[in-house]
Amino acid sequence: MKLYNSLSRTLEDFAPLEPGHVRMYNCGPTVYNDQHIGNYRTFAFADTLRRWLEYKGLRVTQVINITDVGHLTQEHLDSGEDKVMVKARELGWTAEQVAGHFMERYFQDRRILFFQEPAHWTRATRYVPEMIALVKRLLEKGAAYAVGGNVYFDVARFPGYGKLSGNSLETLKAGARIEINPEKRNPADFALWKTDAKHLMQWDAPWGRGFPGWHIECSAMSMKHLGETFDLHTGGEDNIFPHHECEIAQSEAATGKPFVKVWLHARHLLWDGEKISKSKGNVVLVQQLLDKGYSPAEIRYVLVSTRYRQQVNFSWDLFDGARPALRKLAGFKARLAEAAAKTDGGKAPDLEAVRAEFEARMDDDLDVAGALGVMHGFAGQGNAALEGGLAGKGARETLALLDRFDGVFALLGGGEERPPDEVLRLGGERVAARKAKDWKAADAAREGIQALGWAVEDTKDGIKYRRL
Ligand code: AMP
Ligand code: ZN
């Protein structure tokens, strides 16, 4: 499988560091407002990537972060204000209420759009001790310095600074003239920890009470769950600089090891040829699309059908086009299901050839448009075969392949959703408790599962899970 690594700027053959197991971190939302369709296109890319790796038989440990502190309104400078705090002031809410509210809205959209649950959600405010420990490590190594309660990363001490974005300290120096922060040794130095008496969220740290910088959060949280070197790190193209450049610098300066093997960045989405922005009034939300009558599957179809590395231009027309495309695939599936129950007959398409073509498209840096094209071609061939009398075993095999493909795109209700690890663990406890006739423990496990948003059903084939 080939993936385009932003770090090497080439297509690379991908193999996980640990055979059979991929460790992946996706930069997630900053929860100070609703995520728009552009954000979801970046998140859909991460979801498809995971689904594709799982299709290939790899186990994926996926971590997605929730930024609820430290992301400033001017992320290139130190003078910005915390986005969550600005919103809290605007609404008259606490920072916790703002983050909780938009996080819930985000989770709801993800459920509607059928995104898979990661192994870990890392919410920044819940990982401050890990961030403090990492800052401490950088101070001890001399890669960072504290000034009046603030801690900065010393970019001059990390020779690799700029390797992801292509920025050099010289070009950055020239561009940074507008911001003069006398505390910094170098204008490109960035804050790991900041003090601000007005900030609503503050924690005690050895060098002063304050809050973490946005970049250190992702380094601390990803390494906590995935180790000091892991396989994949994704984000939108705007994350390359400064966010990911700074993550690399801090992580590698602290550990002395390569941080991430492959960096993947989704190009931004345009709406009718323009950048999505509040000031232009072209921010489109999932709810608006639903209100206009588009189904979750239609929205998902549009989100997953263009390659992540391509600049895409969305418009209402694109969403209109999803309906007939999906109808064709869903109709094919329905006809196959009907024919599958009949006695054997006819001749199935060359399933092996179709499968190989689909896999070749996806292995080519997630050419999703090509892979969906293969599915449509498959529907054409399959419908012709059905007209020629395909039924029974051949239809069942054809249907199984269509479902397998749909596990990657999740458009036709084929791929069953895998519950998060904690739900599966509790499910195991429930099965063991029921076997031991320990009904109290079995009930407790079920309640634990429900608290995580899932329902269980005990069937003769074992335990079944359903999202509540
Ligand atoms: P934020 O909530 O601003 O931290 O953004 C969440 C994710 O969405 C990040 O990975 C961004 O790179 C990505 N993103 C932001 N705007 C767009 C856009 N117009 N198109 C695609 N992805 C975007
Ligand atoms: Zn991040």
Side-chain angles (χ1 to χ4, degrees), residues 137-170:
R137 217 166 144 187
L138 288 165
L139 282 165
E140 278 159 15
K141 291 218 161 182
Y145 54 95
V147 192
N150 295 322
V151 183
Y152 297 98
F153 184 84
D154 191 346
V155 290
R157 298 292 301 271
F158 184 70
Y161 194 77
K163 65 181 170 183
L164 178 68
S165 61
N167 285 323
S168 70
L169 290 185
E170 281 62 44

PDB file of all heavy atoms in Angstrom, residues 137-170:
ATOM      1  N   ARG A 137      10.509  17.296  30.913  1.00  0.00           N
ATOM      2  CA  ARG A 137      11.551  16.541  30.221  1.00  0.00           C
ATOM      3  C   ARG A 137      12.333  17.450  29.259  1.00  0.00           C
ATOM      4  O   ARG A 137      13.556  17.361  29.154  1.00  0.00           O
ATOM      5  CB  ARG A 137      10.849  15.449  29.411  1.00  0.00           C
ATOM      6  CG  ARG A 137      11.584  14.141  29.364  1.00  0.00           C
ATOM      7  CD  ARG A 137      10.630  13.102  28.846  1.00  0.00           C
ATOM      8  NE  ARG A 137      11.344  12.147  28.018  1.00  0.00           N
ATOM      9  CZ  ARG A 137      10.747  11.187  27.314  1.00  0.00           C
ATOM     10  NH1 ARG A 137       9.436  11.071  27.321  1.00  0.00           N
ATOM     11  NH2 ARG A 137      11.452  10.349  26.593  1.00  0.00           N
ATOM     12  N   LEU A 138      11.612  18.331  28.573  1.00  0.00           N
ATOM     13  CA  LEU A 138      12.262  19.238  27.620  1.00  0.00           C
ATOM     14  C   LEU A 138      13.127  20.269  28.343  1.00  0.00           C
ATOM     15  O   LEU A 138      14.209  20.618  27.878  1.00  0.00           O
ATOM     16  CB  LEU A 138      11.204  19.926  26.752  1.00  0.00           C
ATOM     17  CG  LEU A 138      10.553  18.993  25.715  1.00  0.00           C
ATOM     18  CD1 LEU A 138       9.281  19.613  25.145  1.00  0.00           C
ATOM     19  CD2 LEU A 138      11.538  18.681  24.584  1.00  0.00           C
ATOM     20  N   LEU A 139      12.650  20.711  29.506  1.00  0.00           N
ATOM     21  CA  LEU A 139      13.447  21.663  30.292  1.00  0.00           C
ATOM     22  C   LEU A 139      14.733  20.992  30.776  1.00  0.00           C
ATOM     23  O   LEU A 139      15.818  21.574  30.703  1.00  0.00           O
ATOM     24  CB  LEU A 139      12.637  22.174  31.488  1.00  0.00           C
ATOM     25  CG  LEU A 139      11.600  23.252  31.180  1.00  0.00           C
ATOM     26  CD1 LEU A 139      10.629  23.421  32.339  1.00  0.00           C
ATOM     27  CD2 LEU A 139      12.277  24.596  30.854  1.00  0.00           C
ATOM     28  N   GLU A 140      14.588  19.760  31.238  1.00  0.00           N
ATOM     29  CA  GLU A 140      15.755  19.032  31.736  1.00  0.00           C
ATOM     30  C   GLU A 140      16.791  18.812  30.644  1.00  0.00           C
ATOM     31  O   GLU A 140      17.987  18.810  30.890  1.00  0.00           O
ATOM     32  CB  GLU A 140      15.322  17.677  32.328  1.00  0.00           C
ATOM     33  CG  GLU A 140      14.810  17.811  33.753  1.00  0.00           C
ATOM     34  CD  GLU A 140      13.928  16.640  34.195  1.00  0.00           C
ATOM     35  OE1 GLU A 140      13.937  15.583  33.503  1.00  0.00           O
ATOM     36  OE2 GLU A 140      13.228  16.788  35.201  1.00  0.00           O
ATOM     37  N   LYS A 141      16.312  18.631  29.432  1.00  0.00           N
ATOM     38  CA  LYS A 141      17.228  18.395  28.304  1.00  0.00           C
ATOM     39  C   LYS A 141      17.808  19.698  27.757  1.00  0.00           C
ATOM     40  O   LYS A 141      18.613  19.684  26.827  1.00  0.00           O
ATOM     41  CB  LYS A 141      16.486  17.690  27.175  1.00  0.00           C
ATOM     42  CG  LYS A 141      16.106  16.276  27.522  1.00  0.00           C
ATOM     43  CD  LYS A 141      16.250  15.371  26.331  1.00  0.00           C
ATOM     44  CE  LYS A 141      16.328  13.929  26.796  1.00  0.00           C
ATOM     45  NZ  LYS A 141      16.513  12.986  25.736  1.00  0.00           N
ATOM     46  N   GLY A 142      17.331  20.812  28.258  1.00  0.00           N
ATOM     47  CA  GLY A 142      17.807  22.096  27.744  1.00  0.00           C
ATOM     48  C   GLY A 142      17.193  22.467  26.408  1.00  0.00           C
ATOM     49  O   GLY A 142      17.668  23.366  25.725  1.00  0.00           O
ATOM     50  N   ALA A 143      16.111  21.777  26.020  1.00  0.00           N
ATOM     51  CA  ALA A 143      15.462  22.083  24.745  1.00  0.00           C
ATOM     52  C   ALA A 143      14.373  23.138  24.927  1.00  0.00           C
ATOM     53  O   ALA A 143      13.757  23.585  23.959  1.00  0.00           O
ATOM     54  CB  ALA A 143      14.868  20.821  24.142  1.00  0.00           C
ATOM     55  N   ALA A 144      14.129  23.508  26.186  1.00  0.00           N
ATOM     56  CA  ALA A 144      13.104  24.512  26.475  1.00  0.00           C
ATOM     57  C   ALA A 144      13.625  25.412  27.594  1.00  0.00           C
ATOM     58  O   ALA A 144      14.570  25.045  28.292  1.00  0.00           O
ATOM     59  CB  ALA A 144      11.810  23.825  26.902  1.00  0.00           C
ATOM     60  N   TYR A 145      13.008  26.588  27.752  1.00  0.00           N
ATOM     61  CA  TYR A 145      13.415  27.493  28.828  1.00  0.00           C
ATOM     62  C   TYR A 145      12.181  28.167  29.409  1.00  0.00           C
ATOM     63  O   TYR A 145      11.184  28.386  28.714  1.00  0.00           O
ATOM     64  CB  TYR A 145      14.440  28.532  28.337  1.00  0.00           C
ATOM     65  CG  TYR A 145      13.987  29.308  27.118  1.00  0.00           C
ATOM     66  CD1 TYR A 145      13.366  30.552  27.255  1.00  0.00           C
ATOM     67  CD2 TYR A 145      14.166  28.801  25.832  1.00  0.00           C
ATOM     68  CE1 TYR A 145      12.949  31.269  26.137  1.00  0.00           C
ATOM     69  CE2 TYR A 145      13.748  29.503  24.714  1.00  0.00           C
ATOM     70  CZ  TYR A 145      13.138  30.729  24.873  1.00  0.00           C
ATOM     71  OH  TYR A 145      12.706  31.415  23.770  1.00  0.00           O
ATOM     72  N   ALA A 146      12.261  28.447  30.702  1.00  0.00           N
ATOM     73  CA  ALA A 146      11.141  29.085  31.394  1.00  0.00           C
ATOM     74  C   ALA A 146      11.480  30.552  31.642  1.00  0.00           C
ATOM     75  O   ALA A 146      12.602  30.881  32.019  1.00  0.00           O
ATOM     76  CB  ALA A 146      10.878  28.377  32.714  1.00  0.00           C
ATOM     77  N   VAL A 147      10.503  31.411  31.359  1.00  0.00           N
ATOM     78  CA  VAL A 147      10.663  32.846  31.637  1.00  0.00           C
ATOM     79  C   VAL A 147       9.383  33.329  32.303  1.00  0.00           C
ATOM     80  O   VAL A 147       8.322  33.294  31.682  1.00  0.00           O
ATOM     81  CB  VAL A 147      10.837  33.686  30.335  1.00  0.00           C
ATOM     82  CG1 VAL A 147      11.289  35.102  30.661  1.00  0.00           C
ATOM     83  CG2 VAL A 147      11.777  33.025  29.355  1.00  0.00           C
ATOM     84  N   GLY A 148       9.498  33.733  33.531  1.00  0.00           N
ATOM     85  CA  GLY A 148       8.336  34.297  34.235  1.00  0.00           C
ATOM     86  C   GLY A 148       7.097  33.425  34.174  1.00  0.00           C
ATOM     87  O   GLY A 148       6.005  33.916  33.910  1.00  0.00           O
ATOM     88  N   GLY A 149       7.235  32.141  34.358  1.00  0.00           N
ATOM     89  CA  GLY A 149       6.069  31.258  34.372  1.00  0.00           C
ATOM     90  C   GLY A 149       5.713  30.698  33.001  1.00  0.00           C
ATOM     91  O   GLY A 149       4.989  29.715  32.894  1.00  0.00           O
ATOM     92  N   ASN A 150       6.207  31.323  31.931  1.00  0.00           N
ATOM     93  CA  ASN A 150       5.978  30.769  30.589  1.00  0.00           C
ATOM     94  C   ASN A 150       7.134  29.838  30.246  1.00  0.00           C
ATOM     95  O   ASN A 150       8.266  30.070  30.672  1.00  0.00           O
ATOM     96  CB  ASN A 150       5.945  31.891  29.544  1.00  0.00           C
ATOM     97  CG  ASN A 150       4.756  32.819  29.756  1.00  0.00           C
ATOM     98  OD1 ASN A 150       3.667  32.369  30.100  1.00  0.00           O
ATOM     99  ND2 ASN A 150       4.990  34.112  29.584  1.00  0.00           N
ATOM    100  N   VAL A 151       6.832  28.828  29.480  1.00  0.00           N
ATOM    101  CA  VAL A 151       7.908  27.946  29.005  1.00  0.00           C
ATOM    102  C   VAL A 151       7.874  27.940  27.481  1.00  0.00           C
ATOM    103  O   VAL A 151       6.805  27.793  26.877  1.00  0.00           O
ATOM    104  CB  VAL A 151       7.741  26.500  29.536  1.00  0.00           C
ATOM    105  CG1 VAL A 151       8.907  25.630  29.079  1.00  0.00           C
ATOM    106  CG2 VAL A 151       7.634  26.479  31.052  1.00  0.00           C
ATOM    107  N   TYR A 152       9.046  28.134  26.862  1.00  0.00           N
ATOM    108  CA  TYR A 152       9.133  28.136  25.404  1.00  0.00           C
ATOM    109  C   TYR A 152      10.041  27.012  24.932  1.00  0.00           C
ATOM    110  O   TYR A 152      11.018  26.656  25.600  1.00  0.00           O
ATOM    111  CB  TYR A 152       9.719  29.468  24.897  1.00  0.00           C
ATOM    112  CG  TYR A 152       8.845  30.644  25.223  1.00  0.00           C
ATOM    113  CD1 TYR A 152       9.123  31.444  26.336  1.00  0.00           C
ATOM    114  CD2 TYR A 152       7.744  30.954  24.430  1.00  0.00           C
ATOM    115  CE1 TYR A 152       8.310  32.528  26.654  1.00  0.00           C
ATOM    116  CE2 TYR A 152       6.926  32.035  24.738  1.00  0.00           C
ATOM    117  CZ  TYR A 152       7.216  32.828  25.859  1.00  0.00           C
ATOM    118  OH  TYR A 152       6.411  33.878  26.167  1.00  0.00           O
ATOM    119  N   PHE A 153       9.709  26.506  23.770  1.00  0.00           N
ATOM    120  CA  PHE A 153      10.608  25.545  23.128  1.00  0.00           C
ATOM    121  C   PHE A 153      11.680  26.340  22.401  1.00  0.00           C
ATOM    122  O   PHE A 153      11.392  27.317  21.716  1.00  0.00           O
ATOM    123  CB  PHE A 153       9.821  24.677  22.136  1.00  0.00           C
ATOM    124  CG  PHE A 153      10.666  23.609  21.514  1.00  0.00           C
ATOM    125  CD1 PHE A 153      10.864  22.395  22.164  1.00  0.00           C
ATOM    126  CD2 PHE A 153      11.294  23.819  20.285  1.00  0.00           C
ATOM    127  CE1 PHE A 153      11.655  21.409  21.603  1.00  0.00           C
ATOM    128  CE2 PHE A 153      12.087  22.843  19.720  1.00  0.00           C
ATOM    129  CZ  PHE A 153      12.273  21.633  20.384  1.00  0.00           C
ATOM    130  N   ASP A 154      12.930  25.890  22.560  1.00  0.00           N
ATOM    131  CA  ASP A 154      14.059  26.595  21.965  1.00  0.00           C
ATOM    132  C   ASP A 154      14.359  25.977  20.598  1.00  0.00           C
ATOM    133  O   ASP A 154      15.056  24.977  20.500  1.00  0.00           O
ATOM    134  CB  ASP A 154      15.256  26.420  22.919  1.00  0.00           C
ATOM    135  CG  ASP A 154      16.418  27.334  22.557  1.00  0.00           C
ATOM    136  OD1 ASP A 154      16.407  27.897  21.437  1.00  0.00           O
ATOM    137  OD2 ASP A 154      17.327  27.472  23.391  1.00  0.00           O
ATOM    138  N   VAL A 155      13.805  26.576  19.551  1.00  0.00           N
ATOM    139  CA  VAL A 155      13.919  25.949  18.225  1.00  0.00           C
ATOM    140  C   VAL A 155      15.374  25.797  17.763  1.00  0.00           C
ATOM    141  O   VAL A 155      15.703  24.868  17.031  1.00  0.00           O
ATOM    142  CB  VAL A 155      13.111  26.688  17.119  1.00  0.00           C
ATOM    143  CG1 VAL A 155      11.621  26.515  17.338  1.00  0.00           C
ATOM    144  CG2 VAL A 155      13.475  28.141  17.044  1.00  0.00           C
ATOM    145  N   ALA A 156      16.227  26.702  18.204  1.00  0.00           N
ATOM    146  CA  ALA A 156      17.637  26.632  17.786  1.00  0.00           C
ATOM    147  C   ALA A 156      18.303  25.350  18.294  1.00  0.00           C
ATOM    148  O   ALA A 156      19.314  24.915  17.759  1.00  0.00           O
ATOM    149  CB  ALA A 156      18.394  27.858  18.291  1.00  0.00           C
ATOM    150  N   ARG A 157      17.705  24.737  19.318  1.00  0.00           N
ATOM    151  CA  ARG A 157      18.287  23.505  19.864  1.00  0.00           C
ATOM    152  C   ARG A 157      17.812  22.254  19.128  1.00  0.00           C
ATOM    153  O   ARG A 157      18.209  21.154  19.450  1.00  0.00           O
ATOM    154  CB  ARG A 157      17.949  23.379  21.372  1.00  0.00           C
ATOM    155  CG  ARG A 157      18.493  24.486  22.227  1.00  0.00           C
ATOM    156  CD  ARG A 157      20.028  24.435  22.292  1.00  0.00           C
ATOM    157  NE  ARG A 157      20.490  23.158  22.832  1.00  0.00           N
ATOM    158  CZ  ARG A 157      20.687  22.922  24.127  1.00  0.00           C
ATOM    159  NH1 ARG A 157      20.486  23.870  25.011  1.00  0.00           N
ATOM    160  NH2 ARG A 157      21.098  21.746  24.534  1.00  0.00           N
ATOM    161  N   PHE A 158      16.918  22.444  18.176  1.00  0.00           N
ATOM    162  CA  PHE A 158      16.429  21.283  17.425  1.00  0.00           C
ATOM    163  C   PHE A 158      16.726  21.485  15.936  1.00  0.00           C
ATOM    164  O   PHE A 158      16.003  22.183  15.232  1.00  0.00           O
ATOM    165  CB  PHE A 158      14.926  21.089  17.650  1.00  0.00           C
ATOM    166  CG  PHE A 158      14.394  19.848  16.974  1.00  0.00           C
ATOM    167  CD1 PHE A 158      14.733  18.587  17.447  1.00  0.00           C
ATOM    168  CD2 PHE A 158      13.585  19.944  15.851  1.00  0.00           C
ATOM    169  CE1 PHE A 158      14.269  17.439  16.809  1.00  0.00           C
ATOM    170  CE2 PHE A 158      13.113  18.797  15.208  1.00  0.00           C
ATOM    171  CZ  PHE A 158      13.464  17.558  15.695  1.00  0.00           C
ATOM    172  N   PRO A 159      17.785  20.862  15.455  1.00  0.00           N
ATOM    173  CA  PRO A 159      18.230  21.105  14.072  1.00  0.00           C
ATOM    174  C   PRO A 159      17.182  20.711  13.023  1.00  0.00           C
ATOM    175  O   PRO A 159      17.193  21.244  11.918  1.00  0.00           O
ATOM    176  CB  PRO A 159      19.477  20.225  13.923  1.00  0.00           C
ATOM    177  CG  PRO A 159      19.824  19.735  15.297  1.00  0.00           C
ATOM    178  CD  PRO A 159      18.645  19.901  16.173  1.00  0.00           C
ATOM    179  N   GLY A 160      16.293  19.819  13.392  1.00  0.00           N
ATOM    180  CA  GLY A 160      15.297  19.361  12.405  1.00  0.00           C
ATOM    181  C   GLY A 160      14.109  20.286  12.264  1.00  0.00           C
ATOM    182  O   GLY A 160      13.174  19.996  11.511  1.00  0.00           O
ATOM    183  N   TYR A 161      14.116  21.419  12.955  1.00  0.00           N
ATOM    184  CA  TYR A 161      12.950  22.300  12.890  1.00  0.00           C
ATOM    185  C   TYR A 161      12.749  22.804  11.463  1.00  0.00           C
ATOM    186  O   TYR A 161      13.664  23.371  10.870  1.00  0.00           O
ATOM    187  CB  TYR A 161      13.101  23.494  13.848  1.00  0.00           C
ATOM    188  CG  TYR A 161      11.798  24.222  14.043  1.00  0.00           C
ATOM    189  CD1 TYR A 161      10.814  23.701  14.863  1.00  0.00           C
ATOM    190  CD2 TYR A 161      11.534  25.413  13.368  1.00  0.00           C
ATOM    191  CE1 TYR A 161       9.596  24.341  15.015  1.00  0.00           C
ATOM    192  CE2 TYR A 161      10.322  26.068  13.523  1.00  0.00           C
ATOM    193  CZ  TYR A 161       9.356  25.528  14.349  1.00  0.00           C
ATOM    194  OH  TYR A 161       8.147  26.151  14.501  1.00  0.00           O
ATOM    195  N   GLY A 162      11.590  22.576  10.922  1.00  0.00           N
ATOM    196  CA  GLY A 162      11.299  22.997   9.550  1.00  0.00           C
ATOM    197  C   GLY A 162      11.249  21.837   8.568  1.00  0.00           C
ATOM    198  O   GLY A 162      10.897  22.012   7.415  1.00  0.00           O
ATOM    199  N   LYS A 163      11.577  20.636   9.030  1.00  0.00           N
ATOM    200  CA  LYS A 163      11.673  19.531   8.062  1.00  0.00           C
ATOM    201  C   LYS A 163      10.320  19.106   7.485  1.00  0.00           C
ATOM    202  O   LYS A 163      10.268  18.582   6.385  1.00  0.00           O
ATOM    203  CB  LYS A 163      12.412  18.335   8.662  1.00  0.00           C
ATOM    204  CG  LYS A 163      11.739  17.629   9.830  1.00  0.00           C
ATOM    205  CD  LYS A 163      12.628  16.476  10.305  1.00  0.00           C
ATOM    206  CE  LYS A 163      12.123  15.905  11.613  1.00  0.00           C
ATOM    207  NZ  LYS A 163      12.990  14.835  12.124  1.00  0.00           N
ATOM    208  N   LEU A 164       9.255  19.355   8.212  1.00  0.00           N
ATOM    209  CA  LEU A 164       7.941  18.981   7.677  1.00  0.00           C
ATOM    210  C   LEU A 164       7.391  20.079   6.760  1.00  0.00           C
ATOM    211  O   LEU A 164       6.957  19.817   5.648  1.00  0.00           O
ATOM    212  CB  LEU A 164       6.951  18.731   8.824  1.00  0.00           C
ATOM    213  CG  LEU A 164       5.526  18.372   8.405  1.00  0.00           C
ATOM    214  CD1 LEU A 164       5.479  16.987   7.748  1.00  0.00           C
ATOM    215  CD2 LEU A 164       4.572  18.407   9.594  1.00  0.00           C
ATOM    216  N   SER A 165       7.460  21.310   7.217  1.00  0.00           N
ATOM    217  CA  SER A 165       6.827  22.417   6.479  1.00  0.00           C
ATOM    218  C   SER A 165       7.744  23.036   5.433  1.00  0.00           C
ATOM    219  O   SER A 165       7.284  23.742   4.550  1.00  0.00           O
ATOM    220  CB  SER A 165       6.405  23.504   7.462  1.00  0.00           C
ATOM    221  OG  SER A 165       7.541  24.014   8.143  1.00  0.00           O
ATOM    222  N   GLY A 166       9.045  22.787   5.571  1.00  0.00           N
ATOM    223  CA  GLY A 166       9.986  23.423   4.650  1.00  0.00           C
ATOM    224  C   GLY A 166      10.353  24.835   5.078  1.00  0.00           C
ATOM    225  O   GLY A 166      11.113  25.526   4.393  1.00  0.00           O
ATOM    226  N   ASN A 167       9.842  25.278   6.211  1.00  0.00           N
ATOM    227  CA  ASN A 167      10.217  26.601   6.712  1.00  0.00           C
ATOM    228  C   ASN A 167      11.628  26.552   7.295  1.00  0.00           C
ATOM    229  O   ASN A 167      12.018  25.558   7.888  1.00  0.00           O
ATOM    230  CB  ASN A 167       9.280  27.036   7.842  1.00  0.00           C
ATOM    231  CG  ASN A 167       7.928  27.457   7.322  1.00  0.00           C
ATOM    232  OD1 ASN A 167       7.836  28.060   6.264  1.00  0.00           O
ATOM    233  ND2 ASN A 167       6.879  27.132   8.056  1.00  0.00           N
ATOM    234  N   SER A 168      12.362  27.618   7.156  1.00  0.00           N
ATOM    235  CA  SER A 168      13.665  27.682   7.812  1.00  0.00           C
ATOM    236  C   SER A 168      13.586  28.778   8.864  1.00  0.00           C
ATOM    237  O   SER A 168      12.703  29.639   8.821  1.00  0.00           O
ATOM    238  CB  SER A 168      14.757  28.000   6.803  1.00  0.00           C
ATOM    239  OG  SER A 168      14.600  29.336   6.372  1.00  0.00           O
ATOM    240  N   LEU A 169      14.488  28.727   9.820  1.00  0.00           N
ATOM    241  CA  LEU A 169      14.467  29.759  10.869  1.00  0.00           C
ATOM    242  C   LEU A 169      14.635  31.148  10.271  1.00  0.00           C
ATOM    243  O   LEU A 169      14.064  32.118  10.755  1.00  0.00           O
ATOM    244  CB  LEU A 169      15.548  29.478  11.906  1.00  0.00           C
ATOM    245  CG  LEU A 169      15.287  28.254  12.795  1.00  0.00           C
ATOM    246  CD1 LEU A 169      16.356  28.132  13.859  1.00  0.00           C
ATOM    247  CD2 LEU A 169      13.905  28.337  13.448  1.00  0.00           C
ATOM    248  N   GLU A 170      15.379  31.230   9.174  1.00  0.00           N
ATOM    249  CA  GLU A 170      15.600  32.540   8.536  1.00  0.00           C
ATOM    250  C   GLU A 170      14.290  33.093   7.975  1.00  0.00           C
ATOM    251  O   GLU A 170      13.933  34.237   8.217  1.00  0.00           O
ATOM    252  CB  GLU A 170      16.639  32.433   7.404  1.00  0.00           C
ATOM    253  CG  GLU A 170      18.087  32.395   7.887  1.00  0.00           C
ATOM    254  CD  GLU A 170      18.375  31.183   8.772  1.00  0.00           C
ATOM    255  OE1 GLU A 170      17.928  30.071   8.397  1.00  0.00           O
ATOM    256  OE2 GLU A 170      18.991  31.346   9.834  1.00  0.00           O
TER     257      GLU A 170
END
